[in-house]
Amino acid sequence: MGFGDLKSAAGLRVLNDFLADKSYIEGYVPSQADIAVFEALGAPPPEDLYHALRWYNHIKSYEKQKASLPGVKKPLGKYGPPDVEDTTGAATDSKDDDDIDLFGSDDEEESEEAKKLREERLAQYESKKSKKPAVVAKSSLLLDVKPWDDETDMAKLEECVRSIQADGLVWGSSKLVPVGYGIKKLQIQCVVEDDKVGTDMLEERITAFEDYVQSMDVAAFNKI
């Protein structure tokens, strides 16, 4: 089990294929498994690996809450597809000379037999994944949009928020919720496609209406 070397192109492809029909590394909510793999990457995947990039940007939005996510971090080799060899602990003194590292460093010399086996395994894995229908991952968000004060035109604030249009974004119902001292916040629902619209993008575009909006928070997040 494992993704191989996530610093290599081969390892990134395995991660991308693994996430083609999954929103998270384990289960249906973000967990310490996602944080372990996210930290192992260290940088965003390239744009052509859009499943991995969509997952990376989504997990990045939990950076401030990562310590509170459920689960316990396990060694990196405990995550990933079961039919890919774990090479995260390959550099040990006990490794035999004839062991095959499917996703080893590009700097290491590789025997013809090992190279052929690695290419066959990758081809089989990618072929199996390509036969699975693409699943569009969607999430339902409940956003809290706070104004500056009780004199803010809330109708205009909501109009500004709903004016934000993007592929994969659908606005839903809304209501005004009192927060104290005569101030009300806008609570509005939306449905997003995870690989097209992220919470960072929504926050950036909503708070750009700085004459009306003080801040935006995600009050609820649910996978569909």
Side-chain angles (χ1 to χ4, degrees):
M1 171 176 281
F3 295 110
D5 181 3
L6 287 174
K7 302 296 185 182
S8 71
L12 287 173
R13 284 199 302 273
V14 174
L15 175 64
N16 185 69
D17 291 340
F18 180 78
L19 292 168
D21 58 354
K22 299 177 180 64
S23 298
Y24 302 104
I25 300 300
E26 288 184 344
Y28 301 96
V29 295
S31 68
Q32 293 301 320
D34 296 282
I35 298 302
V37 177
F38 178 89
E39 291 176 346
L41 280 176
E47 291 185 359
D48 60 320
L49 302 179
Y50 48 88
H51 297 304
L53 183 59
R54 176 260 306 164
W55 167 85
Y56 182 92
N57 290 332
H58 180 50
I59 299 304
K60 185 179 179 181
S61 69
Y62 287 91
E63 188 170 5
K64 294 181 181 178
Q65 305 110 285
K66 64 181 182 180
S68 63
L69 294 180
V72 177
K73 282 186 184 178
K74 295 181 287 188
L76 192 60
K78 298 295 184 181
Y79 306 117
D83 55 347
V84 175
E85 183 178 345
D86 170 32
T87 62
T88 56
T92 62
D93 294 337
S94 62
K95 180 177 178 179
D96 294 332
D97 293 338
D98 58 352
D99 282 348
I100 297 173
D101 182 0
L102 293 181
F103 303 103
S105 168
D106 293 338
D107 295 333
E108 297 176 358
E109 292 187 2
E110 188 175 35
S111 70
E112 288 299 320
E113 183 180 356
K115 183 183 295 185
K116 182 179 179 181
L117 179 58
R118 176 171 61 84
E119 291 173 352
E120 287 177 353
R121 291 279 183 86
L122 283 174
Q124 291 171 2
Y125 184 77
E126 291 174 0
S127 175
K128 182 176 67 174
K129 285 295 184 180
S130 66
K131 294 177 182 178
K132 292 187 177 181
V135 178
V136 178
K138 294 183 178 181
S139 300
S140 174
L141 307 180
L142 182 64
L143 307 179
D144 281 347
V145 184
K146 297 177 183 177
W148 287 106
D149 51 41
D150 59 343
E151 296 183 358
T152 300
D153 186 339
M154 296 303 292
K156 182 64 178 177
L157 184 150
E158 180 173 353
E159 180 183 333
C160 290
V161 171
R162 290 185 181 274
S163 72
I164 299 172
Q165 301 294 320
D167 184 24
L169 169 64
V170 178
W171 293 109
S173 60
S174 65
K175 63 180 180 180
L176 297 179
V177 179
V179 294
Y181 303 101
I183 301 174
K184 295 180 179 181
K185 65 182 177 183
L186 172 68
Q187 201 166 70
I188 185 167
Q189 292 181 325
C190 66
V191 174
V192 301
E193 292 184 25
D194 295 346
D195 61 346
K196 295 180 179 179
V197 180
T199 54
D200 288 345
M201 183 272 274
L202 287 173
E203 181 176 15
E204 179 180 349
R205 295 185 64 176
I206 289 174
T207 55
F209 297 105
E210 54 188 17
D211 290 340
Y212 302 97
V213 178
Q214 178 189 149
S215 64
M216 186 218 85
D217 295 303
V218 179
F221 182 103
N222 295 291
K223 299 298 297 179
I224 297 178

